[in-house]
């Protein structure tokens, strides 16, 4: 797709650049895994509502352990109560006498309470009892606000169910979207946005339906509101709605008047909970849409993100902020060439912020920080020197040996990129000899050879690329001896019959060139 983002890569990364770019886009698309790491669920069960205080204060059931675990008998009772409550709602809808509205609201409230009680809400029972058509009827325009809130709340929890349960809400989507507009009260619009967010979180098919029915502009306008909980819910729903794989929705969102300004304002001034949801919107905008990325990097966004990264200790906020920075640095050369300029305050601030993440106990922060650094190190020689001279290097060398595999691979990209200069064409990368010699002297070579031995093709290729740098670039022809001492020959020979032709050819050429029949003759 023309709107996709292709991260900048140095020659040591060019051969895996497309894989890395696809991996980042896939991270953006498969938000469920990413948000589990951030302790945020893609779909949210509404335990209590969006209205005033007390029993109606808004909360999120993010961690999945709210509510009591219920034994089968209790679940059966709950399902029977739900069927009965739906029947009561049906009767209340038919009643036309005095107090009809109060009867409807009371019946709705009972259905809502039953759908909110258990960790496993009786959604299927409610659907089979005929709840959906009744809820759609209760959501019609002109209904009292309390009725609209209760109906939207019920739909929110139904949308938090299984895929087939969420799809049952298709008849309700036009009304839910219509209630996002300015003609609805703020509480009704917010509750409907929560329901729409749950529907969007189900998958691409339902996202496309919501987009075709106009959900995006309505949610975008809610980002411009002043009420924190409304903006927070709208931002969360938008992040579910634009998460791809098609970049069209992300591009449409950033072009809505006032949205960019609202994003900047909320990230700069909002509390951490609201800033977290807005940062996730930026993650998808910067991962999927070249138009959005171009607009974002020309604003003050990167400076604001770096400030948040340096000040916050909230894992939930740091993950999307760090990922947004990484997407921006990787996705547009404008960032490195005109924003990350040596001597500017933002450039002086970004490395300490990234180092803080590398020192964190959280695996995700370490991995994301290494990915950001790898793309800074993939820039100009000046940026390579900036990273090389920083306190990040000792941390990176230690992580290359001690960290889990996925972090070690990202760290290896940073170290590899520090050793090569930008080159023209598709030839071999030019060496930065002093960087290479120093990093090898500090023991990084065994870490790359371990990558060669891994089953991960991308990592193995990266390891072979670095071995080639050592063989070619170490002074006085010392490279082959260093590789041999670190068991690099054995690691490369394992590719003699490897199924991957590219890896097989790379390893064979290196072994033949540097460890041929004449290797070691002068030592005898």
């Amino acid at each position: 797709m023309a709107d996709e983002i292709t991260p900048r890569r140095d020659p040591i990364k060019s051969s895996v650049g497309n894989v890395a770019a696809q991996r980042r886009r896939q991270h953006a698309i498969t938000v469920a895994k990413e948000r589990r790491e951030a302790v945020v669920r893609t779909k949210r069960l509404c335990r209590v509502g969006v209205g005033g205080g007390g029993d109606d204060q808004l909360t999120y059931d993010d961690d999945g352990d709210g509510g009591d675990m219920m034994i089968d008998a209790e679940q059966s009772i709950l399902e029977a109560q739900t069927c009965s409550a739906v029947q009561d709602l049906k009767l209340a809808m038919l009643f036309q006498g005095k107090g009809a509205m109060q009867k409807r609201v009371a019946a709705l409230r009972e259905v809502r309470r039953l759908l909110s009680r258990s960790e496993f809400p009786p959604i299927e029972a409610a659907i089979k009892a005929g709840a959906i058509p009744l809820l759609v009827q209760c959501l019609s325009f002109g209904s009292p606000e309390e009725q609209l809130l209760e109906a939207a709340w019920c739909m929110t929890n139904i949308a938090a169910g299984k895929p087939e349960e969420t799809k049952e809400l298709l008849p309700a989507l036009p009304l839910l979207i219509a209630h996002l507009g300015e003609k609805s009260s703020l509480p009704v619009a917010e509750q409907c946005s929560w329901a729409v967010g749950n529907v969007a979180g189900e998958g691409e098919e339902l996202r496309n339906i919501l987009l075709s029915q106009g959900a995006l502009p309505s949610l975008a306008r809610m980002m411009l509101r002043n009420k924190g909980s409304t903006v927070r819910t709208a931002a969360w729903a938008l992040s579910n709605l634009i998460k791809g794989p098609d970049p069209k929705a992300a591009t449409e969102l950033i072009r809505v008047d006032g949205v960019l300004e609202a994003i900047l304002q909320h990230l700069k001034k909002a509390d951490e909970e609201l800033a977290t949801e807005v940062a996730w919107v930026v993650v998808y905008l910067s991962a999927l849409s070249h138009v959005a990325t171009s607009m974002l990097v020309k604003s003050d966004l990167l400076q604001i993100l770096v400030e948040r990264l340096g000040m916050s200790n909230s894992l939930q906020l740091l993950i999307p902020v760090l990922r947004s920075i990484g997407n921006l640095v990787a996705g547009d050369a404008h960032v490195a060439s005109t924003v990350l300029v040596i001597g500017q305050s933002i450039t002086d601030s970004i490395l300490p912020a990234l180092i803080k993440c590398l020192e964190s106990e959280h695996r995700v922060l370490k991995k994301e920080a290494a990915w950001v650094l790898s793309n800074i190190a993939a820039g100009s020689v000046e940026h390579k020197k900036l990273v090389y001279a920083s306190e990040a290097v000792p941390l990176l060398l230690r992580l290359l040996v001690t960290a889990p595999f996925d972090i070690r691979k990202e760290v290896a990209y940073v170290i590899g990129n520090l050793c090569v200069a930008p080159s023209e064409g598709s030839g071999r990368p030019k060496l930065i000899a002093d960087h290479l010699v120093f990093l090898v002297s500090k023991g990084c070579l065994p870490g790359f050879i371990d990558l060669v031995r891994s089953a991960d093709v991308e990592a193995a290729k990266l390891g072979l690329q670095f071995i080639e740098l050592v063989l070619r670039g170490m002074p006085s022809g010392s490279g082959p001896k260093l590789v041999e001492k670190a068991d690099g020959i054995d690691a490369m020979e394992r590719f003699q019959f490897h199924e991957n032709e590219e890896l097989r050819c790379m390893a064979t050429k290196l072994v033949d060139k540097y460890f041929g029949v004449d290797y070691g003759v002068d030592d005898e």
Side-chain angles (χ1 to χ4, degrees):
M1 289 175 284
D3 212 10
E4 290 181 10
I5 297 218
T6 303
R8 294 178 295 106
R9 301 294 182 189
D10 260 3
I12 196 166
K13 300 191 81 170
S14 63
S15 58
V16 296
N18 290 334
V19 174
Q22 179 60 32
R23 176 160 51 91
R24 299 307 302 176
R25 289 189 68 255
Q26 191 61 33
H27 278 183
I29 295 164
T30 56
V31 67
K33 177 180 182 296
E34 302 296 344
R35 288 205 159 192
R36 280 198 299 274
E37 292 176 344
V39 202
V40 182
R41 282 172 42 170
T42 301
K43 297 172 76 172
R44 294 171 169 175
L45 186 66
C46 184
R47 299 287 185 193
V48 290
V50 299
D55 185 52
D56 287 332
Q57 185 179 359
L58 179 146
T59 61
Y60 295 150
D61 182 32
D62 290 339
D63 56 8
D65 57 9
D68 297 327
M69 293 292 289
M70 302 188 70
I71 60 175
D72 290 344
E74 291 173 324
Q75 191 71 28
S76 297
I77 293 172
L78 183 60
E79 291 172 357
Q81 291 173 337
T82 301
C83 291
S84 177
V86 172
Q87 294 305 313
D88 290 343
L89 175 60
K90 189 178 297 185
L91 294 174
M93 297 297 293
L94 295 173
F95 183 75
Q96 299 295 327
K98 185 178 179 180
M101 188 271 285
Q102 289 82 354
K103 284 182 176 291
R104 287 197 301 273
V105 170
L108 274 170
R109 185 177 295 117
E110 181 61 20
V111 174
R112 178 262 293 175
R113 285 174 176 166
L114 292 165
L115 288 172
S116 306
R117 278 180 53 190
S118 169
E119 184 180 1
F120 305 101
I123 298 172
E124 183 180 2
I127 292 173
K128 288 183 176 179
I132 301 294
L134 298 173
L135 294 174
V136 171
Q137 188 177 347
C138 289
L139 206 61
S140 60
F141 273 91
S143 301
E145 179 175 328
E146 192 174 4
Q147 176 177 312
L148 294 172
L149 276 171
E150 294 289 352
W153 188 344
C154 290
M155 290 183 180
T156 298
N157 284 355
I158 290 173
K162 300 174 183 177
E164 61 273 16
E165 294 167 346
T166 305
K167 289 181 180 180
E168 292 289 334
L169 285 176
L170 280 172
L173 297 186
L175 275 173
L176 286 170
I177 294 169
H179 280 295
L180 300 176
E182 295 178 356
K183 292 183 179 180
S184 297
S185 70
L186 209 56
V188 170
E190 184 176 339
Q191 189 65 65
C192 288
S193 70
W194 193 339
V196 168
N198 275 345
V199 174
E202 187 50 58
E204 184 180 0
E205 178 185 355
L206 288 176
R207 284 199 295 276
N208 288 338
I209 292 173
L210 288 168
L211 289 168
S212 69
Q213 295 180 355
L216 190 143
S218 297
L219 285 172
R221 284 189 288 272
M222 291 180 67
M223 287 275 289
L224 312 182
R225 303 289 187 101
N226 292 322
K227 185 181 177 184
S229 66
T230 300
V231 177
R232 185 173 67 241
T233 305
W236 166 75
L238 280 168
S239 69
N240 272 352
L241 191 61
I242 68 171
K243 65 184 181 182
D246 192 332
K248 183 179 179 181
T251 300
E252 180 184 349
L253 175 60
I254 200 64
R255 285 174 168 163
V256 174
D257 288 343
V259 163
L260 176 57
E261 292 76 13
I263 287 173
L264 298 177
Q265 179 183 352
H266 296 317
L267 282 175
K268 189 170 185 176
K269 298 181 178 180
D271 60 64
E272 290 195 333
E273 189 175 2
L274 172 53
T276 297
E277 298 300 351
V278 176
W280 276 112
V281 174
V282 176
V283 169
Y284 299 117
L285 289 172
S286 57
L288 295 169
S289 169
H290 177 74
V291 172
T293 300
S294 180
M295 293 175 66
L296 291 169
V297 298
K298 291 174 183 176
S299 70
D300 295 331
L301 176 66
L302 192 61
Q303 178 73 55
I304 295 169
L305 290 171
V306 171
E307 290 173 358
R308 279 283 189 178
L309 191 65
M311 293 187 301
S312 178
N313 291 313
S314 166
L315 177 63
Q316 287 85 355
L317 176 58
L318 288 174
I319 289 174
V321 165
L322 188 56
R323 188 158 304 156
S324 295
I325 294 172
N327 287 345
L328 294 172
V329 171
D332 196 314
H334 171 85
V335 175
S337 62
T338 66
V339 178
L340 297 180
V341 177
I342 309 303
Q344 286 191 0
S345 60
I346 184 174
T347 311
D348 294 336
S349 301
I350 192 168
L351 285 178
L354 293 172
I355 289 169
K356 182 185 82 168
C357 294
L358 286 177
E359 293 174 330
S360 168
E361 295 299 319
H362 297 287
R363 180 185 64 82
V364 180
L365 291 185
K366 285 187 171 105
K367 180 179 176 182
E368 295 294 333
W371 184 72
V372 176
L373 279 169
S374 75
N375 282 286
I376 295 175
S380 66
V381 172
E382 287 74 19
H383 286 104
K384 296 172 190 293
K385 290 180 178 179
L386 182 70
V387 177
Y388 176 77
S390 74
E391 296 178 5
V393 170
L395 287 170
L396 293 167
L397 290 168
R398 185 170 71 248
L399 290 171
L400 184 63
V401 177
T402 62
F405 175 79
D406 57 343
I407 298 174
R408 287 191 285 121
K409 185 166 74 170
E410 296 294 347
V411 166
Y413 273 128
V414 186
I415 294 173
N417 276 337
L418 292 178
C419 296
V420 291
S423 59
E424 297 180 359
S426 57
R428 293 187 305 178
K430 298 177 182 179
L431 288 165
I432 303 178
D434 56 336
H435 289 191
L436 178 67
V437 171
F438 174 78
L439 291 167
V440 171
S441 73
K442 292 299 181 181
C444 74
L445 181 57
F448 282 93
I449 290 175
D450 283 344
L451 293 181
V452 173
R453 297 181 186 277
S454 75
D456 186 294
V457 171
E458 181 186 344
K461 187 174 181 180
L462 173 59
L464 289 172
Q465 288 174 321
F466 191 82
I467 288 175
E468 190 274 333
L469 296 181
V470 172
L471 292 171
R472 169 163 58 98
M474 292 299 289
S476 304
S478 61
K481 288 296 183 184
L482 290 170
V483 171
E484 181 184 22
K485 185 177 180 181
D487 290 330
I489 299 176
D490 178 72
M492 288 187 287
E493 286 181 340
R494 68 185 286 270
F495 289 101
Q496 183 177 1
F497 303 105
H498 198 275
E499 61 183 13
N500 186 290
E501 182 179 1
E502 184 180 11
L503 295 181
R504 187 170 65 247
C505 291
M506 286 178 65
T508 300
K509 287 179 180 178
L510 290 176
V511 172
D512 289 347
K513 181 175 181 178
Y514 293 99
F515 303 99
V517 293
D518 296 331
Y519 175 69
V521 170
D522 294 340
D523 297 335
E524 295 179 357

